[in-house]
Coordinates of all heavy atoms in Angstrom, one line a residue:
N1 N 28.8 -6.8 2.1 CA 28.0 -8.1 2.2 C 26.5 -7.8 2.1 O 25.7 -8.8 2.3 CB 28.3 -8.8 3.5 CG 29.7 -9.4 3.4 OD1 30.0 -10.5 2.9 ND2 30.7 -8.7 4.0
G2 N 26.0 -6.6 1.9 CA 24.6 -6.4 1.6 C 23.7 -6.3 2.8 O 22.5 -6.2 2.5
F3 N 24.1 -6.4 4.0 CA 23.2 -6.2 5.1 C 23.1 -4.8 5.7 O 22.4 -4.6 6.7 CB 23.4 -7.3 6.2 CG 24.8 -7.2 6.9 CD1 25.0 -6.4 7.9 CD2 25.8 -8.0 6.4 CE1 26.3 -6.3 8.5 CE2 27.1 -7.9 7.0 CZ 27.3 -7.1 8.1
M4 N 23.9 -3.9 5.1 CA 23.8 -2.5 5.5 C 23.8 -1.6 4.3 O 24.5 -2.0 3.3 CB 25.0 -2.1 6.4 CG 25.0 -2.8 7.8 SD 26.4 -2.2 8.8 CE 25.6 -0.6 9.3
S5 N 23.1 -0.6 4.3 CA 23.1 0.4 3.2 C 23.9 1.7 3.7 O 24.1 1.8 4.9 CB 21.7 0.8 2.9 OG 21.0 1.5 3.9
P6 N 24.3 2.5 2.8 CA 25.0 3.7 3.2 C 24.2 4.6 4.2 O 24.8 5.1 5.1 CB 25.2 4.5 1.9 CG 25.2 3.4 0.8 CD 24.3 2.4 1.3
N7 N 22.9 4.6 4.1 CA 22.1 5.4 5.0 C 22.0 4.7 6.4 O 21.9 5.4 7.4 CB 20.7 5.6 4.5 CG 20.6 6.7 3.5 OD1 21.5 7.6 3.4 ND2 19.6 6.7 2.6
D8 N 22.1 3.4 6.4 CA 22.2 2.7 7.7 C 23.4 3.1 8.5 O 23.4 3.3 9.7 CB 22.1 1.2 7.5 CG 20.8 0.7 7.0 OD1 19.8 1.4 7.2 OD2 20.8 -0.4 6.3
V9 N 24.5 3.2 7.7 CA 25.8 3.6 8.3 C 25.8 5.0 8.8 O 26.2 5.4 9.9 CB 27.0 3.3 7.3 CG1 28.3 3.9 7.9 CG2 27.1 1.9 7.0
R10 N 25.2 5.9 8.0 CA 25.1 7.3 8.3 C 24.2 7.6 9.5 O 24.5 8.5 10.3 CB 24.7 8.1 7.1 CG 25.6 8.1 5.9 CD 25.1 8.9 4.7 NE 25.1 10.3 5.0 CZ 26.2 11.1 4.8 NH1 27.3 10.6 4.3 NH2 26.1 12.4 5.1
E11 N 23.2 6.8 9.6 CA 22.3 6.9 10.8 C 23.1 6.5 12.1 O 22.9 7.2 13.1 CB 21.1 6.0 10.7 CG 20.1 6.1 11.8 CD 18.9 5.3 11.6 OE1 18.8 4.6 10.6 OE2 18.0 5.3 12.5
L12 N 23.9 5.5 12.1 CA 24.7 5.1 13.2 C 25.7 6.1 13.6 O 26.1 6.3 14.7 CB 25.3 3.8 13.0 CG 24.4 2.5 12.9 CD1 25.2 1.3 12.5 CD2 23.6 2.3 14.1
E13 N 26.2 6.9 12.6 CA 27.2 7.9 12.8 C 26.6 9.3 13.0 O 27.3 10.3 13.0 CB 28.2 7.9 11.7 CG 29.1 6.7 11.6 CD 30.0 6.6 12.8 OE1 30.5 7.7 13.3 OE2 30.2 5.5 13.3
D14 N 25.2 9.4 13.1 CA 24.5 10.7 13.3 C 24.8 11.6 12.1 O 25.0 12.8 12.3 CB 24.9 11.3 14.6 CG 24.4 10.5 15.8 OD1 23.4 9.9 15.7 OD2 25.1 10.6 16.9
L15 N 24.7 11.1 10.9 CA 24.9 11.9 9.7 C 23.6 11.9 9.0 O 22.7 11.1 9.1 CB 26.0 11.3 8.8 CG 27.4 11.3 9.4 CD1 28.3 10.6 8.5 CD2 27.9 12.7 9.8
N16 N 23.4 13.0 8.1 CA 22.2 13.1 7.3 C 22.1 12.0 6.2 O 23.2 11.7 5.7 CB 22.1 14.5 6.7 CG 21.9 15.6 7.7 OD1 21.3 15.4 8.8 ND2 22.5 16.8 7.5
P17 N 20.9 11.5 5.9 CA 20.9 10.5 4.9 C 21.1 11.0 3.5 O 21.0 12.2 3.2 CB 19.4 10.0 5.0 CG 18.7 11.1 5.6 CD 19.6 11.8 6.5
I18 N 21.5 10.1 2.6 CA 21.8 10.3 1.2 C 20.5 10.1 0.4 O 19.8 9.1 0.7 CB 22.9 9.5 0.7 CG1 24.2 9.7 1.4 CG2 23.1 9.7 -0.8 CD1 25.3 8.8 1.0
P19 N 20.1 10.9 -0.5 CA 18.9 10.7 -1.3 C 18.9 9.4 -2.0 O 19.9 8.8 -2.3 CB 18.8 11.9 -2.3 CG 19.7 12.9 -1.6 CD 20.7 12.2 -0.9
D20 N 17.7 8.9 -2.3 CA 17.6 7.6 -3.0 C 18.2 7.6 -4.4 O 18.8 6.6 -4.8 CB 16.1 7.2 -3.1 CG 15.5 6.8 -1.8 OD1 16.2 6.6 -0.8 OD2 14.2 6.9 -1.6
E21 N 18.1 8.7 -5.1 CA 18.7 8.8 -6.4 C 20.2 8.7 -6.4 O 20.8 8.4 -7.5 CB 18.2 10.1 -7.2 CG 18.5 11.4 -6.4 CD 17.4 11.8 -5.5 OE1 16.5 11.0 -5.2 OE2 17.4 13.0 -5.1
E22 N 20.8 8.9 -5.3 CA 22.2 8.8 -5.2 C 22.6 7.5 -4.6 O 23.8 7.3 -4.2 CB 22.8 10.0 -4.4 CG 22.6 11.3 -5.1 CD 23.2 12.5 -4.3 OE1 24.0 12.2 -3.3 OE2 23.0 13.6 -4.6
G23 N 21.7 6.6 -4.4 CA 22.0 5.2 -3.9 C 22.1 5.1 -2.4 O 22.9 4.3 -1.9
G24 N 21.5 6.0 -1.6 CA 21.6 6.0 -0.2 C 21.0 4.8 0.5 O 21.4 4.3 1.5
N25 N 19.9 4.2 -0.2 CA 19.2 3.0 0.4 C 19.5 1.7 -0.4 O 18.7 0.8 -0.2 CB 17.7 3.3 0.5 CG 17.4 4.4 1.5 OD1 18.0 4.5 2.6 ND2 16.5 5.3 1.1
L26 N 20.5 1.7 -1.2 CA 20.8 0.5 -1.9 C 21.6 -0.5 -1.1 O 22.5 -0.1 -0.3 CB 21.6 0.8 -3.2 CG 20.9 1.6 -4.3 CD1 21.8 1.9 -5.4 CD2 19.7 0.9 -4.7
Y27 N 21.3 -1.8 -1.2 CA 22.0 -2.9 -0.6 C 22.8 -3.6 -1.6 O 22.3 -4.2 -2.5 CB 21.1 -3.8 0.2 CG 20.4 -3.1 1.3 CD1 19.2 -2.5 1.2 CD2 20.9 -3.2 2.6 CE1 18.5 -1.9 2.2 CE2 20.3 -2.6 3.7 CZ 19.1 -1.9 3.5 OH 18.4 -1.3 4.5
L28 N 24.1 -3.5 -1.6 CA 25.0 -4.0 -2.6 C 25.8 -5.2 -2.1 O 26.1 -5.3 -0.9 CB 26.0 -2.9 -3.1 CG 25.3 -1.6 -3.5 CD1 26.3 -0.6 -3.8 CD2 24.4 -1.9 -4.7
V29 N 26.2 -6.1 -2.9 CA 27.0 -7.3 -2.6 C 28.1 -7.4 -3.7 O 28.0 -6.9 -4.8 CB 26.2 -8.6 -2.5 CG1 25.2 -8.5 -1.4 CG2 25.5 -8.9 -3.8
N30 N 29.2 -8.1 -3.3 CA 30.2 -8.4 -4.2 C 29.8 -9.5 -5.2 O 29.1 -10.5 -4.8 CB 31.5 -8.9 -3.5 CG 32.3 -7.8 -2.9 OD1 32.4 -6.7 -3.5 ND2 32.9 -8.0 -1.8
G31 N 30.1 -9.4 -6.5 CA 29.6 -10.4 -7.5 C 30.4 -11.7 -7.5 O 30.1 -12.6 -8.2
A32 N 31.4 -11.8 -6.6 CA 32.2 -13.0 -6.6 C 31.6 -14.2 -5.9 O 32.0 -15.3 -5.9 CB 33.6 -12.7 -6.0
L33 N 30.5 -13.9 -5.1 CA 29.8 -14.9 -4.3 C 28.5 -15.3 -5.0 O 27.9 -14.5 -5.6 CB 29.6 -14.4 -2.9 CG 30.8 -14.0 -2.1 CD1 30.4 -13.4 -0.8 CD2 31.8 -15.2 -1.9
C34 N 28.1 -16.6 -4.8 CA 26.9 -17.1 -5.3 C 26.4 -18.2 -4.4 O 27.1 -18.7 -3.5 CB 27.0 -17.6 -6.8 SG 28.1 -19.1 -6.9
R35 N 25.1 -18.7 -4.6 CA 24.6 -19.8 -3.8 C 25.3 -21.1 -4.2 O 25.8 -21.3 -5.3 CB 23.1 -19.9 -4.0 CG 22.3 -18.6 -3.6 CD 20.8 -18.8 -3.8 NE 20.5 -18.9 -5.2 CZ 19.3 -19.1 -5.7 NH1 18.3 -19.2 -4.9 NH2 19.1 -19.2 -7.0
L36 N 25.2 -22.0 -3.2 CA 25.9 -23.3 -3.5 C 25.3 -24.0 -4.6 O 26.0 -24.7 -5.4 CB 25.9 -24.1 -2.2 CG 26.6 -25.5 -2.2 CD1 28.0 -25.3 -2.5 CD2 26.4 -26.2 -0.9
K37 N 23.9 -24.0 -4.7 CA 23.3 -24.7 -5.8 C 23.5 -24.1 -7.2 O 23.3 -24.7 -8.2 CB 21.8 -24.8 -5.5 CG 21.1 -23.5 -5.6 CD 19.6 -23.7 -5.3 CE 18.8 -22.4 -5.4 NZ 17.3 -22.6 -5.2
D38 N 24.0 -22.8 -7.2 CA 24.2 -22.2 -8.5 C 25.7 -22.3 -8.9 O 26.1 -21.7 -9.9 CB 23.9 -20.7 -8.4 CG 22.4 -20.5 -8.2 OD1 21.6 -21.4 -8.6 OD2 22.0 -19.4 -7.6
A39 N 26.5 -23.0 -8.1 CA 27.9 -23.2 -8.5 C 28.0 -23.9 -9.8 O 27.4 -24.9 -10.0 CB 28.6 -23.9 -7.4
G40 N 28.8 -23.3 -10.7 CA 29.0 -23.9 -12.0 C 27.9 -23.6 -13.1 O 28.0 -24.1 -14.2
I41 N 26.9 -22.9 -12.7 CA 25.8 -22.6 -13.7 C 26.3 -21.8 -14.8 O 25.9 -22.0 -16.0 CB 24.6 -22.0 -12.9 CG1 23.4 -21.9 -13.9 CG2 25.0 -20.6 -12.4 CD1 22.1 -21.4 -13.2
F42 N 27.2 -20.8 -14.5 CA 27.7 -20.0 -15.6 C 28.6 -20.8 -16.6 O 28.6 -20.6 -17.8 CB 28.5 -18.8 -15.0 CG 27.6 -17.9 -14.2 CD1 27.7 -18.0 -12.8 CD2 26.7 -17.1 -14.7 CE1 27.0 -17.2 -12.0 CE2 25.9 -16.3 -13.9 CZ 26.0 -16.3 -12.5
A43 N 29.4 -21.7 -16.0 CA 30.2 -22.6 -16.9 C 29.3 -23.4 -17.8 O 29.7 -23.6 -19.0 CB 31.1 -23.5 -16.0
D44 N 28.2 -24.0 -17.3 CA 27.3 -24.8 -18.2 C 26.7 -23.9 -19.3 O 26.6 -24.4 -20.4 CB 26.2 -25.4 -17.3 CG 26.8 -26.4 -16.3 OD1 27.9 -26.9 -16.5 OD2 26.1 -26.7 -15.3
K45 N 26.4 -22.7 -18.9 CA 25.8 -21.8 -20.0 C 26.8 -21.5 -21.0 O 26.5 -21.5 -22.2 CB 25.3 -20.5 -19.3 CG 24.1 -20.7 -18.5 CD 23.6 -19.3 -18.0 CE 22.3 -19.5 -17.2 NZ 21.8 -18.2 -16.6
N46 N 28.1 -21.4 -20.7 CA 29.1 -21.1 -21.7 C 29.4 -22.3 -22.5 O 29.6 -22.2 -23.7 CB 30.4 -20.7 -21.0 CG 30.3 -19.3 -20.3 OD1 29.5 -18.5 -20.7 ND2 31.1 -19.1 -19.2
T47 N 29.3 -23.5 -22.0 CA 29.5 -24.7 -22.7 C 28.4 -24.9 -23.7 O 28.6 -25.3 -24.9 CB 29.6 -25.9 -21.8 OG1 30.6 -25.7 -20.8 CG2 29.9 -27.2 -22.5
D48 N 27.2 -24.7 -23.4 CA 26.0 -24.8 -24.3 C 26.2 -23.8 -25.4 O 25.9 -24.2 -26.6 CB 24.7 -24.6 -23.5 CG 24.5 -25.7 -22.5 OD1 25.1 -26.8 -22.6 OD2 23.7 -25.5 -21.6

């Protein structure tokens, strides 16, 4: 859900951080979710 990064988790578990080039500080989310006002925006683009 994007409110924790891999390094945030590793810090809580007393593990060494992952370098930035390997995505240790990236905040990722699932693409299936979107804002309420953006609902249907992709369908409108496909129709146009």
Side-chain angles (χ1 to χ4, degrees):
N1 290 275
F3 59 87
M4 296 185 74
S5 68
N7 283 340
D8 294 337
V9 175
R10 296 180 68 87
E11 182 180 359
L12 293 175
E13 292 294 323
D14 293 329
L15 300 175
N16 294 328
I18 300 175
D20 291 340
E21 56 269 15
E22 297 183 8
N25 294 317
L26 293 179
Y27 294 89
L28 307 174
V29 295
N30 283 324
L33 300 176
C34 65
R35 297 180 297 178
L36 182 61
K37 66 178 183 179
D38 295 335
I41 189 172
F42 300 103
D44 294 339
K45 289 182 179 180
N46 293 333
T47 303
D48 295 339

